[in-house]
């Protein structure tokens, strides 16, 4: 029968200063109920794994400047952008902005000529 090693503890011993700070924080919190709505559900892995997962988590942007959409491009359009390496989506975004700016300039010029 195969035996499984017990995992090593994931938390390190705290410094004396950290212990004092934790005790002061606990004393200040006494008498107040714990807000469990702000808790995080973990799926095992210990404290270290939970902290790493939380660091990787991106919270919703309060002022989103971009919108996620699904769009299909021809391969011959995408290949030059992707061949330049990371950031190809940003380069496509910049190219579309340039095209849109040029288009709006042309439309303004046409309006000026037709209004006379």
């Amino acid at each position: 029968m195969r035996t499984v090693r017990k995992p090593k503890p994931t938390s390190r011993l705290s410094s004396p200063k950290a212990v004092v700070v934790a005790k002061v924080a606990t004393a200040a919190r006494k008498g107040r109920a714990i807000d469990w709505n702000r808790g995080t559900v973990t799926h095992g892995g210990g404290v270290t794994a939970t902290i790493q997962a939380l660091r990787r988590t991106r919270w919703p942007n309060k002022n989103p400047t971009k919108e996620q959409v699904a769009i299909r491009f021809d391969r011959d359009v995408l290949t030059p952008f992707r061949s330049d390496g990371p950031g190809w989506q940003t380069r496509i975004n910049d190219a579309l902005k340039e095209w849109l700016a040029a288009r709006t300039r042309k439309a303004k010029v046409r309006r000026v000529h037709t209004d006379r």
Side-chain angles (χ1 to χ4, degrees):
M1 180 164 81
R2 185 175 172 183
T3 59
V4 179
R5 278 185 145 182
K6 186 175 179 180
K8 293 180 181 179
T10 56
S11 61
R12 296 185 182 133
L13 296 175
S14 299
S15 67
K17 184 178 178 182
V19 172
V20 170
V21 170
K23 285 182 179 180
V24 169
T26 303
R29 205 173 42 228
K30 283 192 176 172
R32 290 188 288 168
I34 296 173
D35 183 10
W36 292 105
N37 293 326
R38 297 191 59 186
T40 303
V41 177
T42 62
H43 301 286
V47 175
T48 305
T50 302
I51 290 172
Q52 288 173 350
L54 287 173
R55 284 184 184 149
R56 283 192 303 262
T57 303
R58 293 187 67 183
W59 305 106
N61 190 350
K62 293 183 180 181
N63 298 317
T65 57
K66 296 185 178 185
E67 182 178 342
Q68 183 176 357
V69 295
I71 188 168
R72 293 178 183 266
F73 290 108
D74 293 335
R75 260 195 199 125
D76 57 337
V77 172
L78 284 180
T79 303
F81 287 100
R82 286 185 171 163
S83 66
D84 289 339
W88 62 271
Q89 292 171 325
T90 303
R91 288 190 294 275
I92 288 177
N93 190 50
D94 295 341
L96 288 171
K97 282 182 181 180
E98 285 178 27
W99 176 82
L100 190 60
R103 183 175 176 214
T104 54
R105 279 193 302 268
K106 286 180 184 176
K108 286 180 184 177
V109 169
R110 274 190 233 133
R111 271 189 239 128
V112 169
H113 291 301
T114 56
D115 289 344
R116 288 183 183 177

